[in-house]
Amino acid sequence: MINKINKLWLFVMSRFVQFLLVSVMLVPIGAKAAQATCIEDKAALLELDFMSFDQDFEGGWRAVADTPGCKPEAVKLIEAYQQQRTDLSDGMKHTLRLHQAQLHAELGHNEAAIALFRQSYKPDEQDRSGWNPYMDATIAFIKKDKPKLVDAIARLKAVPRPEGFDPRDAEGNPIEVPWPPNLTIVESYLRCFDMNYVEVNVEGQCPRPKNDETAD
């Protein structure tokens, strides 16, 4: 009787061990399959022209980034695009680095984001729209450095409107364009200082001031 029980026990245990082995083997396969769904044809994406790769809001790297769990693959894709393409202007490279930085910030990779944001500064003589104060404010918000954020906002507000600035639509009609650019977002950094980059920039959780008044 005891031998029969022992044999039965050994049989049950052997089946259990087999089940565990199969489960362990399947986990990496499933993970790889999930990762593969992020990018179906990487070569085709890398062959896209800049506008299709970067400015198509339903294609290029954005389609990858918008797939749940695929933002890290989108970051790598932008990096691969920059490395492979030899026809990118400095302006195109600047834009791609900025978008990489934003993705890193959304992922909480703060050091990587800050390093790339710093690479996007313009020479002072070329910065007529307050881009550098905007970058300063973004970095200060990520680092949770309120004095530097307040200082960056003040410098951005002080950027003068260019002489002859007269924005118009495609039909030549005057349009109202807030000046300076990006002031609304940097003021939201101060207004919602305790939130993170995703909550303010992606999820829109930072409420606007009443009557659209700007924050002090």
Side-chain angles (χ1 to χ4, degrees), residues 21-37:
L21 289 173
V22 170
S23 298
V24 170
M25 292 173 65
L26 286 176
V27 168
I29 295 173
K32 289 180 180 178
Q35 183 177 358
T37 60

Side-chain angles (χ1 to χ4, degrees), residues 140-154:
F141 173 69
I142 292 174
K143 296 178 72 172
K144 297 304 176 189
D145 188 332
K146 184 172 283 189
K148 287 188 177 180
L149 175 57
V150 171
D151 176 72
I153 292 174

Side-chain angles (χ1 to χ4, degrees), residues 6-16:
N6 288 339
K7 288 179 179 179
L8 178 61
W9 173 251
L10 288 173
F11 175 77
V12 171
M13 288 302 297
S14 67
R15 291 294 186 182
F16 180 69

